[in-house]
Amino acid sequence: MKSIYVALCWVVVMMLGLPACSDDDGKTIPAHTEEEKIWIADNQKYFQERKEYLEDDGQLLYSRLVVEKDTLLYRILETGLVDSLPSINSDVKVSMRGVLPVSNTIIVGDKDGNPVDETLDLDSPNLIKGLSALLLKIRKGERVETIIPYQLGYGEKNYSNPYIPLCSTLQFTFTVKEFK
């Protein structure tokens, strides 16, 4: 009798658990490879460590910005003199350098790793959520360092141009030059 109960419980668990392993289209989500699991763990560890960094006076080094239930980290390296902020309809010109901090791979910058000028359309669906949300809070002339978790970056899938592995933490340093 006990073995029938165990078997019945196993069937119920399998029937309830298997649908949780699919996406909205009903396709099964493939399991991560060991290499991907290590990459994901290293990225999570990097973000959590930076989240707890303290300055000499005991204050957190990075400010936090909550965007859609997720949090990005940022700090102002140089303050701007202009008092206005961009709007969601703004195009923001920045000088930017971006890296995958876990591997130190440059994803935005010239071949020598120097910042490049880019114009970012804040309401573009192609701009990652973390940058779009943060840029709305940054003034002209300010230089900022930000660490963005994968949920506010490129997500749980590989991105092809430039190549960014799934679940990558992103780190950008940028200066806002102007917005219109």
Side-chain angles (χ1 to χ4, degrees):
M1 182 71 174
K2 189 174 185 179
S3 63
I4 293 174
Y5 178 75
V6 170
L8 183 59
C9 288
W10 182 82
V11 169
V12 169
V13 167
M14 294 305 289
M15 290 182 71
L16 293 175
L18 286 178
C21 296
S22 66
D23 61 18
D24 292 340
D25 297 326
K27 297 178 224 154
T28 301
I29 298 172
H32 295 297
T33 66
E34 284 305 311
E35 185 176 305
E36 289 171 337
K37 288 177 185 176
I38 292 169
W39 176 257
I40 292 167
D42 288 348
N43 276 271
Q44 289 172 336
K45 179 181 176 193
Y46 179 87
F47 187 83
Q48 289 304 318
E49 286 173 352
R50 296 308 180 273
K51 196 173 181 181
E52 302 306 322
Y53 270 18
L54 299 176
E55 295 189 73
D56 293 337
D57 63 1
Q59 297 293 316
L60 289 172
L61 179 62
Y62 292 99
S63 298
R64 299 169 186 202
L65 177 62
V66 177
V67 181
E68 297 181 4
K69 299 181 186 177
D70 291 304
T71 303
L72 65 82
L73 308 174
Y74 72 98
R75 64 184 176 139
I76 307 292
L77 302 173
E78 294 174 22
T79 57
L81 300 176
V82 176
D83 212 17
S84 62
L85 296 169
S87 70
I88 192 65
N89 298 320
S90 296
D91 290 335
V92 180
K93 185 175 182 182
V94 297
S95 177
M96 176 181 280
R97 180 178 188 272
V99 298
L100 300 177
V102 170
S103 64
N104 206 26
T105 302
I106 297 170
I107 56 173
V108 177
D110 68 14
K111 62 182 169 81
D112 297 321
N114 299 310
V116 294
D117 288 346
E118 299 211 7
T119 300
L120 305 174
D121 178 3
L122 295 190
D123 64 353
S124 170
N126 297 324
L127 183 60
I128 61 173
K129 288 179 189 175
L131 271 179
S132 181
L134 180 59
L135 282 164
L136 289 170
K137 302 197 174 297
I138 305 302
R139 292 170 171 76
K140 180 178 175 183
E142 287 186 323
R143 187 166 167 259
V144 178
E145 176 187 23
T146 184
I147 300 172
I148 300 175
Y150 77 91
Q151 299 93 330
L152 299 173
Y154 292 100
E156 297 177 359
K157 296 182 181 178
N158 293 324
Y159 184 78
S160 61
N161 190 21
Y163 177 70
I164 298 172
L166 75 165
C167 301
S168 290
T169 297
L170 309 171
Q171 185 166 345
F172 295 100
T173 303
F174 62 87
T175 302
V176 174
K177 297 205 167 203
E178 66 179 0
F179 50 85
K180 18 180 170 162

